[in-house]
């Protein structure tokens, strides 16, 4: 491969550690697109002839077809996708193939390929996140009136609606999409033409290759162009946050499917049975999404560690960017798709959700607010009075609305019959009409707004 300088081939283990073709063959379409843009530019700039350019372009198209038809033989002895394509090009068209690499290096070539690949991965992940948002919004609309306990510290806190809970995730995923769009904007510059690291003495047109590949502009500094992997790290960072969000939702689904909750039901399509316990219906997809977050977060870590000690510019260490990138992108795509299926499949168990609101004195805050509003009590005092009433209910083993007016008056003589109007969970939920609040009317508005903003 290296012509003049090398007399002997590499040791077997050298070939094994060096070769990336086993995984970077996934870059074939980007590699060929980059080569075609480069070739067309070389012709336009009269750096290579029309005839050679035409032969190269036809050859590259033939290789693309061979690869897509599964008829291409990838060789580890040719190290990577770049050399595999170029070697095949030489077999197909002979001498002109050797002119393609004029004013280019594998360093700007691989940087271009990986950018193109990552950009496509960002776009498809963002699309899938939109589908997941649509499924969540669908649940929010269907369950805008469904009351359930809202939690802090996983302690029942105040009643909310299931729809409101779903829309919280829609917001999280909206920020995730924003992070992807943001990293896409920054990554969309072309490294091509940086050559090995210093640029080239040929009169190339970097703007032309950048436009041909739908980049916004050429990267400004040739050394940065070949040594930068920030765009992969940004994608993995955004991906790690996405994986974390999916994992939190998975954890809730796992809890909600358990006997202590029974808040939702998943159909046979998204559960599995147990080989020994016939009664079981396990939320495996949710557990796997929760588990796979580890891989995505690990991918970010592994590339950060690869990059942290590298001097300028390219180092072969950077070949280690691809496996974590590919694995994280595949994992995220799979997890988002599975989550979308699960969310659409999930059936809120309205009875169990409502029943759960009977425990935990969820309307205690409403009682305190009533004391403030009707008796003009300072909130701190109302909090104290309510605490005493809760304590009494706890001792009696009943809910707040099960206490008699006389019981409550013993603690606070100013309390009137009217207090019972705020002690039901439906009223508590309906009263939280502040912007971004859980009142069903707000939830319906928020779902409609989310459709406008996100779908
Ligand atoms: N397979 C290499 C990589 O993935 C391509 C670039 C090789 N460049 C070089 N100077 N050896 O990074």
């Amino acid at each position: 491969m290296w012509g003049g300088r090398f007399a002997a081939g590499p040791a077997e283990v050298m070939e094994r550690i060096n070769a990336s073709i086993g995984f970077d063959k996934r870059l074939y379409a980007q590699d060929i697109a980059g080569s075609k843009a480069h070739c067309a530019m070389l012709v336009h700039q009269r750096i290579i002839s029309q005839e050679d350019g035409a032969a190269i372009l036809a050859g590259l198209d033939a290789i693309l077809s061979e690869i897509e038809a599964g008829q291409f033989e990838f060789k580890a002895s040719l190290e990577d996708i770049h050399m595999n394509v170029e070697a095949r090009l030489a077999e197909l068209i002979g001498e002109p193939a050797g002119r393609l690499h004029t004013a280019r290096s594998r360093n700007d070539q691989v940087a271009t390929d990986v950018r193109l690949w990552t950009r496509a991965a960002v776009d498809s992940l963002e699309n899938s996140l939109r589908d997941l948002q649509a499924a969540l919004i669908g649940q929010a609309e269907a369950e805008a009136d469904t009351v359930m306990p809202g939690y802090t510290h996983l302690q029942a806190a105040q009643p909310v609606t299931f729809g409101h809970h779903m829309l919280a995730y829609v917001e999280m995923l909206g920020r995730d999409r924003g992070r992807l769009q943001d990293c896409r904007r920054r990554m969309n510059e072309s490294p091509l033409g940086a050559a090995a690291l210093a640029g080239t003495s040929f009169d190339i047109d970097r703007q032309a290759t950048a436009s041909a590949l739908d980049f916004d502009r050429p990267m400004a500094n040739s050394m940065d162009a070949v040594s930068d992997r920030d765009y992969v790290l940004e994608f993995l960072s955004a991906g790690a946050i996405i994986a974390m969000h999916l994992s939190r939702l998975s954890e809730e689904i796992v809890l909600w499917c358990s006997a202590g909750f029974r808040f939702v039901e998943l159909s046979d399509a998204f559960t599995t049975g147990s080989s020994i316990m016939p009664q079981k219906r396990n939320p495996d997809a949710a557990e796997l999404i929760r588990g796979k977050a580890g891989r995505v977060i690990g991918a970010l870590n592994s590339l950060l560690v690869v990059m942290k000690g590298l001097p300028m510019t390219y180092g072969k260490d950077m070949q280690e960017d691809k496996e974590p990138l590919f694995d994280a992108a595949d994992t995220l795509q799979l997890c988002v798709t599975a989550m979308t299926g699960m969310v659409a499949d999930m059936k809120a168990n309205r009875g169990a959700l409502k029943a759960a609101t009977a425990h935990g004195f969820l309307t205690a805050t409403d009682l305190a607010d009533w004391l403030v509003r009707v008796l003009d009590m300072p909130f701190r005092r109302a909090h104290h009075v309510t605490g005493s009433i809760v304590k009494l209910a706890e001792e009696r083993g009943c809910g707040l609305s099960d206490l008699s007016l006389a019981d409550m008056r013993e603690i606070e003589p100013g309390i009137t019959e009217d207090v019972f109007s705020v002690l039901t969970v439906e009223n508590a939920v309906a009263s939280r009409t502040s912007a971004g609040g859980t009142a069903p009317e707000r939830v319906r508005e928020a779902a409609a707004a989310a459709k406008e903003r996100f779908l």
Side-chain angles (χ1 to χ4, degrees), residues 296-347:
V296 179
I297 295 165
L300 170 61
N301 271 309
S302 88
L303 187 57
L304 281 170
V305 176
V306 166
M307 296 303 294
K308 70 173 270 297
L310 296 189
M312 291 295 249
T313 51
Y314 175 84
K316 195 68 175 248
D317 318 50
M318 286 154 72
Q319 180 164 288
E320 291 292 313
D321 61 355
K322 291 170 200 61
E323 287 162 292
L325 168 63
F326 295 156
D327 187 67
D330 291 345
T331 301
L332 285 162
Q333 196 60 249
L334 177 64
C335 289
V336 175
T337 308
M339 183 58 90
T340 304
M342 205 160 40
V343 167
D345 180 80
M346 187 167 80
K347 184 120 192 52

Side-chain angles (χ1 to χ4, degrees), residues 6-283:
F6 285 74
E12 181 272 334
V13 68
M14 175 61 197
E15 184 177 302
R16 262 198 296 139
I17 195 172
N18 204 30
S20 54
I21 190 63
F23 45 88
D24 72 12
K25 60 178 162 212
R26 284 184 73 166
L27 298 173
Y28 74 89
Q30 291 75 20
D31 194 68
I32 289 171
S35 288
K36 286 176 72 174
H38 182 65
C39 173
M41 182 278 293
L42 292 177
V43 171
H44 194 261
Q45 296 298 102
R46 301 178 186 287
I47 297 168
I48 66 172
S49 72
Q50 290 267 359
E51 301 73 60
D52 286 348
I56 290 169
L57 292 178
L60 288 170
D61 281 334
I63 293 170
L64 184 64
S65 308
E66 286 180 0
I67 295 176
E68 283 182 340
Q71 284 156 2
F72 188 94
E73 199 201 330
F74 292 103
K75 296 188 185 121
S77 59
L78 292 169
E79 265 193 56
D80 55 27
I81 186 63
H82 325 295
M83 301 306 280
N84 269 269
V85 169
E86 195 181 318
R88 180 65 183 142
L89 188 63
E91 280 173 19
L92 289 176
I93 68 168
E95 199 250 9
R99 299 191 185 274
L100 173 60
H101 215 51
T102 313
R104 186 177 76 170
S105 152
R106 275 191 298 162
N107 296 348
D108 59 338
Q109 191 178 355
V110 71
T112 304
D113 294 2
V114 178
R115 257 175 214 264
L116 291 171
W117 194 93
T118 309
R119 187 178 72 185
V122 163
D123 290 344
S124 81
L125 183 57
E126 215 224 299
N127 264 318
S128 302
L129 287 173
R130 184 196 297 116
D131 294 342
L132 176 51
Q133 285 180 304
L136 289 160
I137 293 170
Q139 286 283 0
E141 288 177 325
E143 309 297 340
D145 296 288
T146 305
V147 292
M148 68 180 286
Y151 298 86
T152 62
H153 315 265
L154 198 56
Q155 304 293 315
Q158 293 178 350
V160 294
T161 62
F162 192 81
H164 198 50
H165 198 131
M166 293 293 105
L167 290 180
Y169 283 97
V170 172
E171 293 300 318
M172 291 149 82
L173 299 173
R175 288 192 297 275
D176 289 332
R177 286 178 59 192
R179 273 181 282 272
L180 290 175
Q181 289 158 4
D182 199 38
C183 89
R184 188 197 201 280
R185 255 192 305 280
R186 247 186 318 280
M187 99 172 53
N188 204 29
E189 294 187 342
S190 173
L192 199 56
L197 75 164
T200 174
S201 56
F202 291 97
D203 179 27
I204 59 171
D205 182 351
R206 293 191 61 206
Q207 188 59 59
T209 47
S211 318
L213 297 169
D214 283 324
F215 286 119
D216 294 329
R217 63 193 76 83
M219 290 180 77
N221 181 294
S222 64
M223 294 176 74
D224 178 48
V226 295
S227 77
D228 171 42
R229 292 295 181 273
D230 291 0
Y231 58 100
V232 182
L233 289 166
E234 286 191 39
F235 171 64
L236 294 177
S237 311
I241 297 176
I242 293 166
M244 175 274 287
H245 284 159
L246 296 178
S247 181
R248 291 183 70 177
L249 179 52
S250 296
E251 169 64 10
E252 300 216 86
I253 292 173
V254 170
L255 282 174
W256 292 348
C257 288
S258 73
F261 286 80
R262 289 276 166 255
F263 283 3
V264 299
E265 234 166 73
L266 291 171
S267 77
D268 294 353
F270 282 92
T271 47
T272 60
S274 156
S275 55
I276 173 169
M277 297 163 282
Q279 86 282 14
K280 294 266 290 220
R281 182 196 269 289
N282 297 325

